[in-house]
Amino acid sequence: MSDRSNLPIPRLSLWLTHAGMLAEQVLRAFWPVFSILMVVVAALMLGLQDQFRVEFVWGVGTVALIALIVATVLGFRRFHIPSRTDALVRLDETLPGRPIQALIDDQAIGAADVDSVALWQAHKARMAQRAAQAEAVKPDLRLASRDPYALRYAALLALVVAALFGSFWRIGSVAEMTPGSAVAGQGPTWEGWVEPPRYTGLPTLYLADQSGPDLSIPQGSRITLRFYGEVGAHSLTETTSATGTETATNPEQDFVTDRSGQLRIDGPAGRDWAVVVIADMPPQIGVADAAEAEAGGQMKLPFAASDDYGVVSGSARIELDLASVERRYGLTADPEPRETIEVELPMPITGDRADFTEDLIEDFSEHPWAHLPVKITLMVQDAADQQSATEPYLTALPARRFFDPLAAAVIEQRRDLLWSRGNATRIAQMLRAVSHRPEDLFRSDTAYLRLRVVLRRLEAFEAYGLKRAQQDEIAQALWDLAVLIEDGTLADALERMRRAQERLTEAMQNGASDEEIAELMQELREATQDYMQQLQRLAQENGGDENQQGQNGESLQMTQDDLQRMMDRIQELMEQGRMAEAQQALEEFQQMMENMRVTQGQGQNGQSEGQQAMEGLAETLREQQGLSDQAFRDLQEQFNPGAQAGESQGNEGRSGGQGRGQSHEGQGGQGQGSDQSGEGQQGQGSLADRQQALRDELKRQEQGLPGTGTPEGDDARDALGRAGRAMDDAEEALRSDDLAEAIDRQSEAMEALREGMRSLGEAMAQNQQNQPGQGTQEGDMQAENRDPLGRNPGSAGSISTEENLLQGEDVYRRARELLDEIRRRTGDPDRPTIELEYLKRLLERF
């Protein structure tokens, strides 16, 4: 064999490979030794030996020493030093053709043949070139097969934690546990810690590591010292605590720093610090802007708060400024005593509370002090229980304004009643005078009847002495009456205008006489004029002028002129007998009125993506309702042919707002009476096609649905998915001539659509609440006379119906009204405790 010392191999590669193999052997043989050492050192650096009795510490130490000796012996038995030959073999295994082995080998046959020798030398030269390119082999340091539970990593983690949070000097405390002369030989020692208050978020300081002469710590920090060794070898002198101990030799010292001073440890390895206490400043709060009433009547009071370590909580106290009240009319009497209003200030849910600005939003519209001078005092508290308060902020308590003169008068009488029960007789006289000639004053019979009921109850209560509960009952009734008068006018005018439009449409379709058309046209003119006046009044209420711009830039006044010209044109076409053109013009008129509703609700800002999606879903729901109504009439016709014709007149206008069951897209749904004779299958096929088109439209709406990533948005998408599947089932049932099954599936689709719209409304409300400054249009919902759930007023004096529940473009404002209703109920102490807790959880969530 050839001489291995003359091999053309890079020495660095061979040396690194050999070192790597040595590291492999050391790690594989002694990893238990290293792990035991790391655990023991980590425990000593963390001071665990100080937490247990001496006997236990020495027992654990003995066990650790035995384990260390056993691991070391076993390691030496497994360990062997790799030779240079082993390194060559490892290096040769990574090279193609094993060139190192070829260089070591000698020629076995053909040594006497010149050609064979020349070939062998050429082969060795080629192998020498390959060997010269050898690179160091990386060692295999994996121990997973030997340490399947990764105990070495657990020991390493303990050592890292000890290095970060412990101290190497704590290992010396083990010597103090040695009995007899060992303690004396080791000598006395000490250790100490500074623990800042937890709310500061600052780390604990180990005194032995504080090398500077000054020590800056927060106020209220706790200093703990321990003296080891002979009693009296160390003494403490400090002037930072409340007691200010001059000299103390107790083995254990514990005190709280209240002021700056001196901290000195006398004795072996003694230290001296000038302690500088960082005072915890009290929190600060102030009114950031003027209090104002939002469109819905809620008070909005911006405030700014700050603290060095963060504000914990805050509150607002509202008191009546009696000296500033204008004492006239019902306010001349002495007011009844009322409790001061106490409300919690909103705190940031996320982010830093050291310096922030928030808005206090509360609805005091129904409080007796609404619009009266009040004093608002804001208070905040930090984690150290320090409190600060602002100077009383003087303002008129912002609340809802009533622009209708009759509603404003009712609210004034309600205020006087709550001011003092002695005003009951005067209030009864005022209400009786108001209701004496109701013809030109009340727009709604319901409002007049309610006023008379309230008047009779007030007079009956006043005759026997008005109690506090009766006072509250009458006040609530007067509030409901004022809201009905204020908000009911626009809804009544809108309903009159829609009814006039529907009657005029029916008259044109049924060939009415010129006199009937003229009468209906005049009714439409009067209803439209009333509706426009209500829109202008609400525009003024929301802070706009009378010439509020519409979607295309036109003002309300110009739009009213356009409407008058369109109605003149419609009447002229009908008088000329051009009914088709008149019908088209009437549809344009209806479209303009819908745009006017959007203009009043949106102003110059247009509609948001969520509102457009909500309108699209509402239109889909109406069309689905129309299809369901048409399928029901077709089912009736199957079992009772000819009977539907007598009922069709009463059902007109209820199928998605189009009448006669026709769709919004065309005339494919005119499956009435005579259309069913011999053409039933064709009508049902048309219904199936319309159902399919409606399903395709829902798919398109799902793609642009807002609220992605929020729980409410995901719920809306799930609900619309169920609606789509129900529509698919309804389409299959229609094509199979199973009208009963189709109606059931259509009902499921409508219910899922409503649920999806409710979830989308919640998503929009959540998004609006997280964007300050976006809630300036909340009064529009009240202008449309809807309760917080978006229901329209019922008939015959009923509160509301479930018609159009959470539909239309005002979903966000309805959701905000619902939130205000929750806040109002939260402030009612007479409600059950379980209900109040549930309402508070809702407020915390939203």
Side-chain angles (χ1 to χ4, degrees):
M1 298 188 61
S2 301
D3 186 5
R4 299 183 182 182
S5 61
N6 296 326
L7 293 175
I9 302 174
R11 292 186 178 181
L12 180 60
S13 298
L14 181 60
W15 183 85
L16 291 176
T17 302
H18 189 269
M21 296 178 66
L22 181 61
E24 289 179 6
Q25 291 296 321
V26 172
L27 194 59
R28 292 174 182 176
F30 297 105
W31 72 265
V33 177
F34 300 149
S35 299
I36 296 173
L37 287 175
M38 287 189 291
V39 170
V40 172
V41 172
L44 294 177
M45 291 178 64
L46 290 174
L48 298 183
Q49 68 276 11
D50 299 330
Q51 308 300 322
F52 302 97
R53 298 180 60 181
V54 176
E55 295 80 1
F56 179 80
V57 173
W58 286 108
V60 173
T62 302
V63 173
L65 180 61
I66 295 175
L68 186 63
I69 295 174
V70 172
T72 303
V73 172
L74 295 177
F76 276 110
R77 292 182 61 182
R78 291 191 296 265
F79 177 76
H80 71 278
I81 300 177
S83 62
R84 185 174 184 274
T85 302
D86 296 333
L88 289 174
V89 172
R90 172 71 65 86
L91 197 61
D92 194 28
E93 290 175 350
T94 62
L95 298 175
R98 306 293 293 272
I100 297 177
Q101 184 64 40
L103 293 174
I104 295 175
D105 292 341
D106 294 327
Q107 185 176 3
I109 58 175
D113 186 358
V114 177
D115 294 335
S116 178
V117 171
L119 180 61
W120 176 252
Q121 293 300 328
H123 173 67
K124 293 183 65 175
R126 184 180 299 173
M127 293 297 103
Q129 292 177 359
R130 292 183 181 180
Q133 298 175 358
E135 296 181 356
V137 181
K138 295 181 180 180
D140 183 9
L141 303 179
R142 293 174 295 180
L143 300 175
S145 58
R146 293 172 172 80
D147 182 17
Y149 300 104
L151 298 179
R152 64 193 185 283
Y153 291 130
L156 179 61
L157 176 61
L159 183 62
V160 171
V161 171
L164 293 176
F165 302 102
S167 175
F168 184 77
W169 301 105
R170 295 185 181 179
I171 299 178
S173 63
V174 178
E176 301 174 8
M177 299 181 181
T178 305
S181 60
V183 175
Q186 181 67 24
T189 186
W190 63 270
E191 61 179 347
W193 303 267
V194 178
E195 300 179 25
R198 182 171 300 178
Y199 63 83
T200 63
L202 299 177
T204 300
L205 302 178
Y206 188 59
L207 282 177
D209 296 337
Q210 309 305 311
S211 58
D214 297 332
L215 185 62
S216 298
I217 58 177
Q219 184 179 7
S221 298
R222 179 175 295 276
I223 297 180
T224 302
L225 291 169
R226 291 178 182 173
F227 298 152
Y228 303 106
E230 182 181 354
V231 176
H234 288 92
S235 63
L236 169 68
T237 303
E238 60 89 11
T239 59
T240 60
S241 64
T243 58
T245 304
E246 288 299 330
T247 303
T249 59
N250 297 332
E252 190 166 332
Q253 304 288 333
D254 191 336
F255 57 92
V256 177
T257 57
D258 291 329
R259 59 181 182 269
S260 300
Q262 200 74 14
L263 176 63
R264 186 175 70 251
I265 301 175
D266 297 319
R271 301 287 299 276
D272 188 4
W273 294 277
V275 179
V276 179
V277 173
I278 303 174
D280 187 353
M281 303 302 296
Q284 301 295 323
I285 186 172
V287 177
D289 203 351
E292 59 182 13
E294 295 189 329
Q298 302 91 344
M299 181 194 75
K300 179 181 178 182
L301 179 61
F303 67 92
S306 62
D307 185 66
D308 42 8
Y309 296 113
V311 176
V312 174
S313 62
S315 62
R317 184 175 65 248
I318 303 177
E319 302 173 290
L320 178 65
D321 187 6
L322 188 59
S324 301
V325 176
E326 188 176 0
R327 306 295 293 274
R328 62 175 184 171
Y329 306 128
L331 302 181
T332 57
D334 293 334
E336 296 180 358
R338 291 193 176 272
E339 295 181 357
T340 301
I341 302 176
E342 296 271 355
V343 294
E344 294 183 1
L345 293 179
M347 295 287 114
I349 299 177
T350 59
D352 188 12
R353 292 191 179 183
D355 190 1
F356 64 92
T357 301
E358 281 287 345
D359 295 332
L360 171 62
I361 299 178
E362 292 289 341
D363 191 356
F364 299 110
S365 299
E366 297 186 45
H367 197 275
W369 298 344
H371 300 295
L372 292 179
V374 295
K375 302 176 183 178
I376 303 179
T377 304
L378 304 181
M379 296 170 289
V380 288
Q381 180 178 347
D382 62 7
D385 294 333
Q386 299 182 104
Q387 295 183 353
S388 296
T390 63
E391 292 295 329
Y393 174 71
L394 305 180
T395 183
L397 186 61
R400 176 177 178 175
R401 298 175 59 193
F402 288 83
F403 294 88
D404 187 279
L406 179 58
V410 171
I411 287 298
E412 181 180 352
Q413 301 309 308
R414 175 184 180 272
R415 180 203 64 188
D416 295 345
L417 178 64
L418 291 174
W419 182 266
S420 174
R421 279 173 281 180
N423 292 327
T425 302
R426 175 181 175 275
I427 294 171
Q429 294 174 351
M430 294 292 295
L431 295 181
R432 184 168 292 279
V434 167
S435 60
H436 177 60
R437 299 289 295 273
E439 293 82 6
D440 299 330
L441 188 60
F442 289 87
R443 297 184 180 89
S444 171
D445 294 339
T446 302
Y448 170 71
L449 293 175
R450 284 195 181 184
L451 178 61
R452 298 295 299 179
V453 171
V454 172
L455 176 59
R456 287 194 296 269
R457 292 184 65 82
L458 177 60
E459 291 176 339
F461 291 153
E462 196 269 337
Y464 296 97
L466 189 63
K467 304 295 190 300
R468 186 61 180 268
Q470 297 168 346
Q471 178 190 28
D472 296 338
E473 176 187 343
I474 297 299
Q476 184 62 43
L478 289 174
W479 173 266
D480 296 337
L481 175 61
V483 172
L484 176 63
I485 296 172
E486 177 76 10
D487 294 343
T489 53
L490 180 62
D492 295 340
L494 179 60
E495 185 62 28
R496 284 181 55 205
M497 186 184 67
R498 287 176 173 174
R499 190 184 308 114
Q501 292 173 359
E502 293 176 0
R503 293 182 62 188
L504 186 58
T505 301
E506 296 299 329
M508 288 189 294
Q509 293 178 350
N510 296 331
S513 63
D514 294 340
E515 292 77 8
E516 293 175 335
I517 290 179
E519 180 180 356
L520 293 174
M521 197 68 205
Q522 183 62 29
E523 180 183 348
L524 178 59
R525 290 177 186 273
E526 295 176 357
T528 303
Q529 181 70 19
D530 190 14
Y531 179 65
M532 294 296 296
Q533 292 177 355
Q534 297 300 328
L535 283 181
Q536 291 178 353
R537 182 180 63 81
L538 286 177
Q540 297 175 1
E541 174 184 347
N542 291 332
D545 55 27
E546 294 184 1
N547 294 329
Q548 183 181 5
Q549 291 184 350
Q551 285 179 328
N552 299 323
E554 75 277 7
S555 66
L556 289 177
Q557 184 63 39
M558 293 181 61
T559 303
Q560 186 173 355
D561 295 338
D562 293 339
L563 294 176
Q564 294 297 333
R565 286 194 296 270
M566 289 189 68
M567 286 187 287
D568 292 340
R569 178 60 177 167
I570 293 171
Q571 187 171 4
E572 179 182 354
L573 291 174
M574 289 188 295
E575 291 175 353
Q576 296 175 0
R578 299 158 63 181
M579 293 300 177
E581 299 180 23
Q583 178 68 29
Q584 182 179 359
L586 182 59
E587 292 177 357
E588 295 177 359
F589 171 80
Q590 293 172 343
Q591 182 64 36
M592 178 171 287
M593 296 311 298
E594 292 296 326
N595 291 339
M596 184 60 64
R597 291 178 59 210
V598 173
T599 299
Q600 193 276 334
Q602 297 294 336
Q604 300 180 10
N605 296 329
Q607 289 181 303
S608 66
E609 179 183 0
Q611 292 170 334
Q612 293 175 358
M614 189 64 69
E615 282 192 355
L617 292 176
E619 182 67 18
T620 301
L621 180 59
R622 285 192 292 269
E623 292 187 6
Q624 182 61 77
Q625 181 65 56
L627 289 177
S628 181
D629 292 345
Q630 182 62 48
F632 180 74
R633 286 192 289 271
D634 291 349
L635 183 62
Q636 285 184 316
E637 184 66 19
Q638 285 184 359
F639 291 97
N640 191 11
Q644 186 67 19
E647 301 177 1
S648 61
Q649 193 70 18
N651 289 332
E652 291 174 0
R654 297 177 61 183
S655 301
Q658 293 296 320
R660 298 183 183 274
Q662 68 188 29
S663 75
H664 292 265
E665 304 296 335
Q667 304 294 330
Q670 295 179 348
Q672 295 278 17
S674 60
D675 293 337
Q676 299 296 328
S677 302
E679 298 180 3
Q681 185 64 33
Q682 181 181 356
Q684 294 160 15
S686 177
L687 286 178
D689 295 339
R690 290 162 56 192
Q691 185 68 72
Q692 181 182 5
L694 192 60
R695 171 66 176 115
D696 296 338
E697 175 64 18
L698 181 61
K699 288 182 179 179
R700 185 192 65 78
Q701 293 172 350
E702 289 184 52
Q703 296 176 356
L705 203 64
T708 303
T710 63
E712 295 83 359
D714 294 340
D715 292 342
R717 285 172 170 78
D718 293 341
L720 295 184
R722 296 195 303 272
R725 291 189 292 272
M727 288 182 180
D728 291 337
D729 296 339
E731 178 191 351
E732 294 180 3
L734 288 173
R735 297 194 185 281
S736 303
D737 197 19
D738 189 353
L739 293 177
E741 178 67 18
I743 293 173
D744 291 341
R745 302 290 77 78
Q746 288 170 342
S747 298
E748 293 179 5
M750 288 187 289
E751 181 63 28
L753 279 173
R754 294 189 182 98
E755 182 179 347
M757 294 173 67
R758 284 194 293 269
S759 299
L760 180 59
E762 294 175 358
M764 293 169 59
Q766 183 71 17
N767 183 54
Q768 282 298 102
Q769 190 172 5
N770 293 333
Q771 299 178 3
Q774 300 297 324
T776 59
Q777 302 172 356
E778 297 165 3
D780 294 353
M781 179 179 135
Q782 296 172 346
E784 294 184 12
N785 193 26
R786 299 173 181 169
D787 69 349
L789 294 179
R791 298 171 292 192
N792 289 331
S795 58
S798 61
I799 299 299
S800 59
T801 67
E802 294 185 355
E803 183 182 359
N804 294 334
L805 181 63
L806 282 179
Q807 296 182 14
E809 65 274 4
D810 298 331
V811 174
Y812 163 65
R813 286 180 286 280
R814 299 175 198 173
R816 186 56 183 263
E817 285 293 325
L818 180 59
L819 184 60
D820 294 339
E821 178 66 11
I822 294 175
R823 287 174 175 168
R824 184 188 67 79
R825 296 188 180 187
T826 304
D828 185 1
D830 296 332
R831 295 186 177 276
T833 303
I834 186 172
E835 180 182 355
L836 292 176
E837 293 177 353
Y838 173 73
L839 293 175
K840 289 182 179 179
R841 290 197 300 270
L842 288 179
L843 288 178
E844 293 175 356
R845 173 64 178 87
F846 296 100

